[in-house]
Amino acid sequence: MTVVILTLNEELHIARALTSVASIAEKCVIVDSGSTDRTVEIAQGMGAQVLTNPFVTQAQQFNWVLDQLPSETDWILRLDADEIVSEALALEIAAKLDGVPGHIHGMRLSRRMNFLGQPVRRGGVFPIRLVRLLRHNHGRSEDRWMDEHIIVDGEVGDFSGEIVDDNLNSLTWWTHKHNNYASREVVEMLNLEHGFMARGEGGDADHAGGTGAKRWIKENLYARLPGGLRALAYFLYRYVVRLGFLDTREGQMFHVLQGFWYRYLVDAKLREVQTYMKDNDTDAVAAIMEVTGIDVRP
């Protein structure tokens, strides 16, 4: 199994991520997009191969490295630098991966999240079931700016073990990252309306894990609700209906920030771009560039 990790200034996490897969990875490939800290030094010191490539989107970066892997590559595990493969999942992979039937081209795993060092247990958002293991040359990432999934060309199996997202950065870093995420999500929402880019569509693997249904709800129901109101409705669903208020203090913070603040920020940025389009009589592509700085021209 080859583990692929995309990095940019991940010296805080990269050693932990590599250590979590040391017992199961034949090879670790780091795709760095210009780190100025010790990420590359640490990764190379732990025996990982480091490639460099300019970053545009997560999807494009992952698909790029798939094309760089040697033909004899078998299974590939997609891991974020701030994620950890749990001991239970590592043992499961070691015991079962070699015996997966040849017609199964991907494996679905669970992903949980810690926020400010504490697990988020309620709100109906975790664990998420995602395809993170795939056979080489039998799958790729959807080419989307946000919310991309790995789609394989065969059947998908299931492992019960978990990956844990446990970012150690500050809340200031987290809000900055989600500010950038909000701009990228605006691109996806405007593209849903104006169709200026080809849209990656989830296949059977996506729908089998439930993410296809969630995307359909997001794009066909959530997106049609009034901006701002939908953010409040989503937050109340998570915090009240799905009992997010019973989570830890850190979990409650996560539901408020990610379930309301972030979603409201997306709506505010969307309105900003739409207002610019109207006031300047311009199209979505030009407005996105002027307002968010994101260049989506082909």
Side-chain angles (χ1 to χ4, degrees):
M1 186 181 72
T2 296
V3 176
V4 169
I5 305 176
L6 312 183
T7 60
L8 175 64
N9 294 330
E10 291 286 0
E11 66 177 7
L12 194 60
H13 302 110
I14 191 61
R16 186 186 64 176
L18 290 171
T19 299
S20 76
V21 297
S23 64
I24 54 174
E26 180 180 358
K27 181 180 182 181
C28 293
V29 179
I30 307 299
V31 187
D32 191 75
S33 52
S35 292
T36 55
D37 63 2
R38 297 179 59 244
T39 298
V40 171
E41 176 188 344
I42 294 170
Q44 289 176 333
M46 296 184 68
Q49 178 187 3
V50 178
L51 305 177
T52 58
N53 192 55
F55 183 87
V56 180
T57 66
Q58 294 274 354
Q60 291 182 29
Q61 195 80 325
F62 181 64
N63 288 337
W64 178 85
V65 71
L66 290 180
D67 295 334
Q68 314 307 311
L69 297 177
S71 58
E72 63 269 20
T73 302
D74 189 6
W75 285 95
I76 300 160
L77 172 65
R78 162 81 168 87
L79 190 69
D80 286 344
D82 60 358
E83 292 177 335
I84 309 162
V85 170
S86 66
E87 183 178 356
L89 177 57
L91 291 172
E92 189 174 16
I93 290 173
K96 298 180 180 179
L97 190 62
D98 285 345
V100 173
H103 66 279
I104 293 181
H105 292 169
M107 296 298 296
R108 198 178 294 113
L109 317 173
S110 289
R111 174 178 170 269
R112 291 191 181 271
M113 174 171 281
N114 292 347
F115 185 72
L116 299 181
Q118 298 299 315
V120 180
R121 302 187 186 279
R122 300 181 184 274
V125 288
F126 298 111
I128 301 170
R129 298 290 290 170
L130 297 169
V131 175
R132 285 295 195 91
L133 267 167
L134 68 155
R135 291 190 192 269
H136 189 34
N137 291 326
H138 287 286
R140 297 179 76 78
S141 176
E142 301 171 289
D143 190 9
R144 297 173 67 103
W145 280 78
M146 281 290 294
D147 192 33
E148 73 283 349
H149 300 299
I150 293 172
I151 305 301
V152 299
D153 60 9
E155 294 184 30
V156 175
D158 288 276
F159 282 156
S160 59
E162 297 180 342
I163 290 172
V164 180
D165 182 326
D166 184 26
N167 195 287
L168 302 175
N169 283 301
S170 68
L171 188 56
T172 297
W173 178 93
W174 187 94
T175 53
H176 176 71
K177 181 183 77 167
H178 279 74
N179 181 42
N180 291 331
Y181 280 176
S183 296
R184 290 173 173 269
E185 190 145 350
V186 166
V187 172
E188 287 291 341
M189 296 187 73
L190 285 170
N191 190 45
L192 187 65
E193 179 180 356
H194 297 281
F196 49 84
M197 297 185 303
R199 296 177 61 241
E201 298 293 346
D204 291 341
D206 196 20
H207 287 267
T211 51
K214 292 177 182 178
R215 178 177 292 169
W216 188 92
I217 292 171
K218 181 178 179 180
E219 294 183 350
N220 293 277
L221 299 178
Y222 181 87
R224 296 183 181 184
L225 293 174
L229 175 62
R230 57 192 173 197
L232 178 61
Y234 177 62
F235 167 69
L236 291 175
Y237 169 75
R238 273 176 53 172
Y239 201 73
V240 179
V241 178
R242 298 306 299 267
L243 305 180
F245 69 94
L246 294 178
D247 227 320
T248 64
R249 179 65 61 86
E250 289 77 13
Q252 293 171 12
M253 293 177 184
F254 177 79
H255 296 306
V256 172
L257 290 171
Q258 201 274 340
F260 179 68
W261 172 81
Y262 170 69
R263 300 253 48 104
Y264 197 93
L265 181 62
V266 172
D267 286 345
K269 283 175 175 273
L270 177 63
R271 181 173 176 83
E272 182 183 24
V273 175
Q274 290 172 329
T275 300
Y276 185 92
M277 292 171 62
K278 181 179 179 181
D279 292 347
N280 294 276
D281 192 25
T282 189
D283 62 14
V285 172
I288 289 169
M289 180 64 184
E290 289 299 321
V291 176
T292 72
I294 295 177
D295 188 355
V296 297
R297 294 172 296 182

